Amino acid sequence: MIYSCSAFNLPSVFQTELLNGLARTCRIGVSVSVWGKMSQTLPVVCGVPQGSVLGPLLYTMYTKSIGEICRRHNVLYHCYADDIQLYCAAEGSEDLAARLSSINECIDELKSWMGCNMLKLNSEKTEFIIFASKKSPGRNITPSLPWHLRDTNISSHVRSLGVIFDSALSFAKHIDYIFKSCNFYIINIGRIRQFLSKKTYEMLVVALVTSRLDYCNSLLNGLSQTHMLRLQRVQNTVTRLICRIKKFDHISTSLQSLHWLPVLFRPRFKLLYIVFRALRGVGPLYLQELICPYRPTRSLRSENKNLLYVPACHTATYGNRLFTVETATLWNDLPQEVRDAENLSSFKRLLKTHFVNSAFPQNCRSVCS
């Protein structure tokens, strides 16, 4: 812990107070009560009491060496609480084999470090997956994993922060999960529909169904119409239940009355919202670095239109779904007045109006006439 404090360049006064607090914590006795009987009181020799405000901070400082080990092996990593993700990008079978060798060496060193620091690498919860196109030769490679992960098989799909990623990045498994979970809540809420007002029922739908449709839906932009149509059916079903319309009645008017965007436009709205914030210097720095304003090499009329540079991509299936490509394309397709919005609230209002006009062109014409 002293090494971690010095690595973070913390003030000496803070280091002293922190270490003194940990010393006082170690003098605290902990016992367990089961069926009215108390166990023997034992001192807390490591860690912090559960629920302590210092818990996340101390754990981050304690596991700082994980990032140093990954960077030493040129392996990218992502940490969330006590979950660690190691990943790398490769081109071709030979490059993939070399990258897998680096990951194996990194895992071996991580296991050794954890053993020396009273942590454990849980091999039962370790998953391994290769993301590649259906025709890529990398899908047929069987990697050699370290000896302590011999029982780990290559997974066809993994879950990360509630999103299910399959090896082809089609998100078919994730959409199946959303479809089933939403239908479960629709059926249960539908049983009490007659006892609820329209406003109350709409609140339940937004909390239990729409929230699942919108969770991480920016990853679904650019998927096939077949997948998006399944999610649109879910939205159509709850719309009919809220507005009490028949199965074969038109849904567009009801969606517009609820001020709901169709499923196809909701990921686009979220992506463009992220772009607008990034252009204003708000949001994660790694997203701001991915967005590049358009700067022509010579004087052109387009240089003052607030456009973004669209990188070249080689594949339509995966290349067009890159964050840098799809966000720049969506942003450049917006009307000039939307791109030039003064603040975030006016941008959201103009953007939603633009998407409503695009999603319901016939209804907008009838209203205007």
Side-chain angles (χ1 to χ4, degrees):
M1 185 58 68
I2 297 176
Y3 167 75
S4 299
C5 290
S6 60
F8 276 96
N9 295 323
L10 298 177
S12 58
V13 177
F14 180 82
Q15 297 183 31
T16 304
E17 291 296 328
L18 179 61
L19 295 176
N20 291 337
L22 291 176
R24 289 192 297 269
T25 302
C26 292
R27 293 193 292 268
I28 297 176
V30 177
S31 59
V32 180
S33 175
V34 179
W35 294 337
K37 296 182 179 180
M38 297 294 295
S39 66
Q40 180 183 0
T41 301
L42 298 174
V44 180
V45 297
C46 61
V48 292
Q50 186 175 4
S52 172
V53 294
L54 285 177
L57 173 62
L58 294 178
Y59 182 79
T60 302
M61 297 172 60
Y62 191 71
T63 58
K64 181 180 182 296
S65 300
I66 293 178
E68 298 174 355
I69 295 173
C70 294
R71 286 189 292 269
R72 188 156 52 241
H73 292 277
N74 294 324
V75 175
L76 301 175
Y77 69 97
H78 182 267
C79 297
Y80 183 82
D82 59 344
D83 292 333
I84 306 172
Q85 297 175 4
L86 306 180
Y87 59 96
C88 62
E91 297 182 3
S93 302
E94 296 181 358
D95 190 20
L96 178 59
R99 297 289 184 177
L100 291 176
S101 177
S102 300
I103 289 182
N104 289 341
E105 295 174 359
C106 181
I107 293 176
D108 285 334
E109 188 172 351
L110 284 174
K111 181 175 176 60
S112 301
W113 177 85
M114 289 181 179
C116 298
N117 291 271
M118 295 179 290
L119 297 174
K120 179 184 177 182
L121 179 63
N122 194 339
S123 58
E124 297 179 357
K125 294 185 178 180
T126 302
E127 295 178 298
F128 186 87
I129 188 171
I130 296 178
F131 296 106
S133 62
K134 296 180 179 180
K135 298 181 180 179
S136 175
R139 295 177 62 90
N140 302 322
I141 293 179
T142 303
S144 58
L145 299 176
W147 63 270
H148 46 82
L149 298 177
R150 292 297 183 187
D151 297 332
T152 303
N153 298 321
I154 300 180
S155 304
S156 60
H157 59 277
V158 294
R159 183 188 295 270
S160 177
L161 300 181
V163 180
I164 302 175
F165 294 83
D166 57 277
S167 58
L169 291 179
S170 65
F171 292 98
K173 292 281 186 180
H174 182 63
I175 291 177
D176 288 341
Y177 172 75
I178 296 176
F179 187 80
K180 292 177 182 178
S181 61
C182 288
N183 282 331
F184 170 79
Y185 287 104
I186 289 173
I187 292 172
N188 285 278
I189 299 174
R191 293 171 180 170
I192 59 173
R193 174 66 182 94
Q194 57 181 335
F195 306 106
L196 302 175
S197 63
K198 179 180 178 180
K199 184 177 180 180
T200 304
Y201 189 80
E202 183 180 351
M203 291 174 60
L204 281 175
V205 167
V206 171
L208 299 175
V209 180
T210 309
S211 61
R212 284 171 167 78
L213 293 176
D214 289 340
Y215 179 71
C216 292
N217 61 349
S218 57
L219 296 172
L220 306 181
N221 189 59
L223 294 182
S224 64
Q225 295 291 336
T226 304
H227 292 322
M228 302 303 291
L229 184 60
R230 296 189 65 192
L231 301 181
Q232 185 60 53
R233 290 188 186 128
V234 173
Q235 190 185 49
N236 293 348
T237 300
V238 295
T239 302
R240 290 190 173 94
L241 289 173
I242 293 174
C243 299
R244 295 181 180 273
I245 60 177
K246 297 180 180 180
K247 181 178 180 180
F248 296 103
D249 290 346
H250 289 291
I251 200 72
S252 301
T253 305
S254 300
L255 281 174
Q256 201 168 3
S257 65
L258 294 172
H259 303 283
W260 286 2
L261 289 174
V263 171
L264 183 64
F265 291 89
R266 299 174 85 90
R268 301 177 184 178
F269 184 92
K270 184 176 292 185
L271 286 172
L272 292 171
Y273 172 81
I274 294 173
V275 171
F276 184 85
R277 285 169 54 88
L279 290 174
R280 297 303 188 276
V282 182
L285 182 61
Y286 65 90
L287 290 180
Q288 298 181 30
E289 294 174 350
L290 294 176
I291 298 173
C292 180
Y294 174 67
R295 297 286 186 267
T297 56
R298 53 194 178 90
S299 179
L300 297 174
R301 287 179 294 178
S302 58
E303 63 181 349
N304 297 322
K305 292 187 177 181
N306 195 14
L307 300 175
L308 296 180
Y309 170 74
V310 182
C313 58
H314 303 289
T315 59
T317 306
Y318 297 99
N320 290 339
R321 288 169 55 190
L322 287 172
F323 178 82
T324 53
V325 176
E326 65 179 355
T327 52
T329 303
L330 291 172
W331 179 265
N332 294 344
D333 291 340
L334 291 176
Q336 182 71 34
E337 61 173 348
V338 180
R339 295 197 301 266
D340 294 338
E342 296 181 356
N343 50 55
L344 185 59
S345 58
S346 60
F347 174 77
K348 291 168 63 177
R349 175 177 53 82
L350 293 172
L351 180 61
K352 188 170 184 178
T353 302
H354 169 68
F355 280 154
V356 167
N357 295 337
S358 302
F360 314 111
Q362 296 180 352
N363 295 347
C364 292
R365 291 196 199 101
S366 61
V367 170
C368 294
S369 59

